[in-house]
Amino acid sequence: MKKILNGTDQVVEQMVEGLVKSHADIVHRVEGTRVIARNDKRPGKVGLVSGGGSGHEPAHAGYVGRGMLSAAVCGDVFTSPTPDQIYEGIKAADQGAGVLLIVKNYTGDVMNFEMAADLADADDIKVEQIVVDDDIAVEDSTFTTGRRGVAGTVLVHKIIGAAAEAGASLEELKALGEKVIASVKTLGVALSPCTVPEVGHPGFELGDDEIELGIGIHGEPGFTREKIMPSASLAKQLYERISNESKLLPGDKVVVLVNGMGATPLMEQYVFANDVHVLLKNAGVRAEKTLVGDYMTSLEMAGLSLTILKLEDEKWVDMLKLPVDTIAW
């Protein structure tokens, strides 16, 4: 295992320290916790909290700041943060108007965020929760009941963040979040596995000429393993599955997110994005906005995911375009 570390038992702690020291103008660490909170405070605004296991950077701490999250909670690598840590994130985010938890659909995350919400309720902090399940690859997997939450979560962060910044209520934000979640679909592919530092070996094996379609962000299995194929063929496979799931029709408008899994160069991501745009044009579907880059990774996994948000409300595009002050958006 080759990694730039000082010790596998300190990787998350030192990563958190490096992040807040590097971006002290935007975020700070809540003392004694792994909570990254925004410096910019607005009394009376609904707080937004997300988080999960580390190893998916820039998610989720990279989206803390004006216009997006109020706080993010960092668990161990690929491990949910504990309820007490999430509770500290809720308290850091609370500005008197309640707190919305944006949770990816993994069993540990959902359970721990719900327990933290119960702790907050005892302190008279009003908390609501939405659960992102955008991955259409498999219905149930290693870490979850139902569909997994993956890169589409970032689009939820941005749209909900814009609405919160504009003064939307907790109830309004929850309703908006559920509407966005129902409209966003993601599918990923892995070219090579990743290695959790404390494990020291890859989480799965792929032959030199193999790829795994439908892989999860923790290395969970997908729906099929195939031989490597040209980008255009890969784009066609992913797009057609998402299009069928979303029931895309000529004239529909979408937002496209091509997300790198950690080790795939931008050159390859843009080749793939070009292939997706060809498919969209042929289908008569219009991309109102396209995002390309590493938004939610899986350590050093090679591969990418395709997310398509079907625009049920064209205001969502405006919300995605609003400026923010975060590390990664």
Side-chain angles (χ1 to χ4, degrees), residues 3 78 192-196 201-204 217-219 298-301:
K3 291 183 180 289
F78 293 177
S192 68
C194 63
T195 298
V196 174
H201 58 78
F204 59 96
I217 56 173
H218 308 100
S298 182
L299 295 170
E300 82 283 21
M301 182 186 291

Side-chain angles (χ1 to χ4, degrees), residues 1 19 40 61 70 105 126 144 229 259 267 298 315 320 323:
M1 180 180 74
L19 185 147
D40 176 54
S70 306
N105 189 34
K126 189 174 182 181
T144 189
M229 64 186 72
N259 170 64
M267 174 187 286
S298 182
K315 292 179 182 176
L320 287 167

Side-chain angles (χ1 to χ4, degrees), residues 152-164:
T153 309
V154 180
L155 299 181
V156 178
H157 289 164
K158 183 64 178 71
I159 293 172
I160 299 299

Side-chain angles (χ1 to χ4, degrees), residues 177-255:
E178 289 174 343
K179 191 173 181 180
V180 175
I181 290 167
S183 303
V184 65
K185 311 296 178 188
T186 300
L187 205 50
V189 59
L191 281 67
S192 68
C194 63
T195 298
V196 174
E198 290 192 338
V199 175
H201 58 78
F204 59 96
E205 293 184 4
L206 282 173
D208 290 342
D209 61 346
E210 289 182 321
I211 59 174
E212 178 122 5
L213 294 165
I215 197 75
I217 56 173
H218 308 100
E220 310 99 311
F223 55 81
T224 188
R225 185 167 291 192
E226 297 189 11
K227 299 298 184 182
I228 188 72
M229 64 186 72
S231 173
S233 300
L234 179 59
K236 186 172 187 291
Q237 281 221 40
L238 300 189
Y239 173 77
E240 287 184 347
R241 284 178 175 266
I242 293 174
S243 178
N244 290 336
E245 181 78 20
S246 298
K247 298 179 172 59
L248 293 179
L249 298 171
D252 282 340
K253 298 178 181 181
V254 299
V255 171

Side-chain angles (χ1 to χ4, degrees), residues 3-25:
K3 291 183 180 289
I4 300 175
L5 304 174
N6 295 310
T8 57
D9 60 337
Q10 289 293 306
V11 60
V12 175
E13 176 69 22
Q14 293 177 356
M15 179 270 290
V16 169
E17 279 294 294
L19 185 147
V20 296
K21 289 173 181 175
S22 300
H23 303 284
D25 57 326

